[in-house]
């Protein structure tokens, strides 16, 4: 058997392409259409605004034109929202250094839970929980 020629096999398959290559483009287009902040800005948030401010809030939607836009910033609690509002001018200056002069004219700080407010009183889940709580408290 040592004299037999080696068996020819197919060459190894190429690995699939990296999903990040395609998903980054899709998310960037989606962010642009929905006015949500650029994914690059979101990923560099801590670097741009500083770690202390980044621990307080995260970027949201950007509305307005190319100059003087309003950036919505989400904070998880009232205390964090208050502190983020206090730091809004610092954030605006630092972000304009990155995005270009005058790109952000105003920062609006909104209080949202970590789950994006999905169980708030105005949501269907929040309304259902509110009805449940009121029915339980009436039976006592």
């Amino acid at each position: 058997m040592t004299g037999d020629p080696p068996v020819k096999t197919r060459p190894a398959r190429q690995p699939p392409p990296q999903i990040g290559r395609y998903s980054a483009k899709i998310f960037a287009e989606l962010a642009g259409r929905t006015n949500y902040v650029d994914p690059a800005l979101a990923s560099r948030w801590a670097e741009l605004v500083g770690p202390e401010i980044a621990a307080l809030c995260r970027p949201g939607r950007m509305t307005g034109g190319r100059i003087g836009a309003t950036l919505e910033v989400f904070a998880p609690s009232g205390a964090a929202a208050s502190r983020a509002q206090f730091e809004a001018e610092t954030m605006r200056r630092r972000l304009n250094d990155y995005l270009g002069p005058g790109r952000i004219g105003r920062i609006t700080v909104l209080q949202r839970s970590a789950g994006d407010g999905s169980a708030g009183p105005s949501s269907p889940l929040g309304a259902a929980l509110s009805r449940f709580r009121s029915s339980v408290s009436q039976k006592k």
Side-chain angles (χ1 to χ4, degrees):
M1 291 255 189
T2 59
D4 293 339
V7 178
K8 288 191 174 187
T9 60
R10 294 184 194 171
R13 289 185 181 181
Q14 293 292 324
Q18 297 283 330
I19 193 162
R21 202 165 66 183
Y22 296 105
S23 64
K25 181 180 176 186
I26 291 169
F27 286 128
E29 289 174 7
L30 180 62
R33 282 186 293 187
T34 59
N35 291 331
Y36 266 78
V37 73
D38 179 21
L41 178 69
S43 66
R44 297 183 64 195
W45 182 249
E47 175 188 337
L48 295 173
V49 298
E52 290 178 359
I53 296 174
L56 297 172
C57 56
R58 62 182 172 82
R61 189 170 54 161
M62 192 180 303
T63 57
R66 299 290 299 159
I67 301 295
T70 299
L71 175 66
E72 291 180 353
V73 174
F74 302 125
S77 67
S82 178
R83 176 70 192 273
Q85 186 65 47
F86 182 74
E87 299 287 349
E89 182 58 27
T90 303
M91 280 190 278
R92 191 184 69 77
R93 278 194 326 261
R94 289 178 179 177
L95 292 170
N96 280 335
D97 287 344
Y98 171 70
L99 297 170
R103 175 70 171 108
I104 297 177
R106 192 177 113 180
I107 293 181
T108 302
V109 180
L110 302 171
Q111 182 181 341
R112 296 262 174 99
S113 68
D116 207 24
S118 60
S122 61
S123 71
L125 177 60
L129 288 173
S130 177
R131 286 193 302 271
F132 173 75
R133 288 183 188 118
S134 65
S135 69
V136 170
S137 64
Q138 289 175 356
K139 291 180 182 179
K140 286 185 178 181

